[in-house]
Amino acid sequence: MPLHWRPPVEILDAKTKDKLCFLDKVEPNATIGEIKSMFHKNHPQWYPARQSIRLDPKGKSLKDEDVLQHLPVGTTATFYFRDLGSQISWVTVFLTEYTGPLVIYLMFYFRVPFIYAPKYDFTTSKHWVVHLACMCHSFHYMKRLLETLFVHRFSHGTMPLRNIFKNCTYYWGFAAWMAYYINHPLYTPPIYGEQQIRLALILFLFCQIGNFSIHIALRNLRPPGSKTRKIPYPTKNPFTWIFLLVSCPNYTYELGSWLGFTLMTQCLPVAFFTLVGFIQMTVWAKGKHRSYLKEFRDYPPLRSPILPFIL
Amino acid sequence: MAATPAPGTSKGAHSDVTGRRKKGPGALATAYLVIYNVVMTAGWLVIAVGLVRAYLARGSYHGLYYSIEKPLKFFQTGAVLEVTTCARSWTDASLCVFCLVSVSLQVQSEDSVLLFVTAWTVTEIIRYSFYTFSLLNHLPYLIKWARYTFFFVLYPMGVTGELLTIYAALPHAQKTGLYSVTLPNKYNFSFDYHSFLIIVMVSYIPLFPQLYFHMVRQRKKVLGHTEDYSKVE
């Protein structure tokens, strides 16, 4: 390469192959992120978060950190662009989808009018397990909101806008469905009474602490502002020792929490919610496990994606 | 199995997409798929023939459903095996609609049942022959054309039949509390079949246009490629 090589960069539409942008002289050590900013100046409607830049029209998206001179481009660097559509930040989505269940459940708990028969408006359940369930459910979602604000470090800043509708329908819908039955005037408490509720509460709390411990451990793997990926290992906290057997123990603990809540309320809709959540988390855990295996040669072989030795 | 409560042949529509993405199956899998599709085509032909003969014998539409009820139920159940073909999508709510409705005895003599059964029968014969021939790599253009043209009439026909049938089943469902569960019970769960049927009917509004226009677009892609060749780069 000539000493003062500053390649021109052209960006074509991945579908129509139209020339969308031509950047005359770009520094070889420019990153894709910087190129995206330059492209955004030419096309203000496409902010960097919604740009997918790739080497091949049907190929994978390049990362923001990729450097121009390390990419296999010719004398003129040709990239293909795809519009990812309106984007929304992960934080916004999480805050919205978690605030819903918190508020909605409380509306059912306080028996706000138009849900149950008018004679029950603003009454409270006579079963103490119903009060306990409300505390657990509310605690769970408060924890999630606080983790979103203070604990999690996100790899991707944004996701497609339509996800917020999909996600909120899921969380808000299920929350309403569960809350309706648990707080219903005709609610039937667990068959095995206090024993069942106590066991369920222990399971729930144990898994909430576990889940939180994993979130903290994962956060500490990654310095602030970075997107590095490292293998998580057990720390001094016994709740993290599950890393010996599982790749995504945060999901394992989440499943445990909801099993606890199902046992506590003995409510079929809660069981459904737990099942659907479990299926989705298993899909995510398998994906994560696969990327770990692909990225790290020395990944511990004893680990399973979500359930020790099973799944 | 074809029409979904949502709209006509959603399964057909979905399987186009998944079928395309799927790479060629091995010899044993192909043999299984061919046999499966041949059997389904034959089955639906039996139903179609049964319908025609019964009509000719009776001279009216009334009670026609009973003449093909057994083979129809058999094939609906057998079509659960669709799941094993792996090239189909999981959404087969049409099976659900059919089962739900078929239990409601009063509905079975309704013309609406005949309407969607006829629509399905024709659709399924074409669809299964399409898959059979495709698997054997000898697809006559006529079958392909029929598959992507007949739906213009068969989808709305099937959907109308289904909606009318569900609507007719509503009073019976409400009166008898069919499939419904009430509070209190130890699982803290309730289900009102009557309301569920109404929700199903309403869901046709967004779903049917989506599936119908998906088929229209598929048609352009599959049958319209001869026009593309005239476009020169």
Side-chain angles (χ1 to χ4, degrees), chain B residues 9 40-41 73 97 146 155 169 172 207 211 214 220 231:
Chain B
T9 356
M40 294 306 280
T41 312
K73 281 203 172 128
V97 174
Y155 264 45
H172 175 73
L207 290 172
L211 275 152
H214 173 77
K220 260 196 205 84
K231 260 198 230 143

Side-chain angles (χ1 to χ4, degrees), chain A residues 64-112:
Chain A
D64 280 4
E65 305 81 56
D66 289 339
V67 177
L68 182 59
Q69 64 185 349
H70 296 149
L71 296 169
V73 293
T75 42
T76 300
T78 305
F79 294 113
Y80 293 93
F81 161 79
R82 225 170 77 91
D83 183 16
L84 296 171
S86 288
Q87 298 286 301
I88 186 168
S89 81
W90 272 68
V91 173
T92 309
V93 175
F94 272 32
L95 292 178
T96 317
E97 69 190 16
Y98 296 154
T99 305
L102 188 61
V103 170
I104 290 169
Y105 192 102
L106 288 170
M107 286 170 62
F108 284 87
Y109 175 75
F110 287 115
R111 293 187 182 155
V112 148

Side-chain angles (χ1 to χ4, degrees), chain A residues 181 186-188 266-268, chain B residues 183-190:
Chain A
Y181 290 106
L186 296 176
Y187 171 75
T188 309
Q266 200 171 292
C267 177
L268 197 57
Chain B
L183 290 176
N185 59 72
K186 66 181 175 196
Y187 298 114
N188 292 302
F189 176 72
S190 69

Side-chain angles (χ1 to χ4, degrees), chain A residues 187-213:
Chain A
Y187 171 75
T188 309
I191 316 180
Y192 296 106
E194 207 162 307
Q195 266 187 323
Q196 184 174 336
I197 298 168
R198 197 178 305 129
L199 176 65
L201 180 62
I202 292 170
L203 176 61
F204 176 80
L205 288 174
F206 183 88
C207 292
Q208 288 288 278
I209 298 171
N211 178 268
F212 180 70
S213 306

